Amino acid sequence: MTLNATVTGRDDLTDARYQIATADGPQTVNGCVFGEFGLHPASGALVLSHLPTGRVLDSFRSWGPALQAMAEPRGRA
């Protein structure tokens, strides 16, 4: 199943609501999207997710590294 089809593939950084996969099922979050990736705040961190699967990939403490990982996701998905 592909999640987030309406926000996947953006070529600009855009605010969006999207779903992430959790042990309890999909959860809708507010964040920003670019390409196949989304960033949302959670528990004092920025969480990087793969939009088509909703899979959480990594978390960051600051915007710089988070945005860099989103823009250059080599090997993350």
Side-chain angles (χ1 to χ4, degrees), residues 9-57:
R10 299 288 311 199
D11 62 359
D12 59 345
L13 192 61
T14 304
D15 290 338
R17 290 174 56 88
Y18 58 93
Q19 291 186 323
I20 59 169
T22 72
D24 296 325
Q27 175 184 352
T28 301
V29 296
N30 293 313
C32 59
V33 297
F34 178 80
E36 292 190 346
F37 300 91
L39 278 176
H40 73 277
S43 301
L46 295 164
V47 178
L48 178 68
S49 299
H50 182 244
L51 293 172
T53 62
R55 188 177 79 158
V56 172
L57 302 174

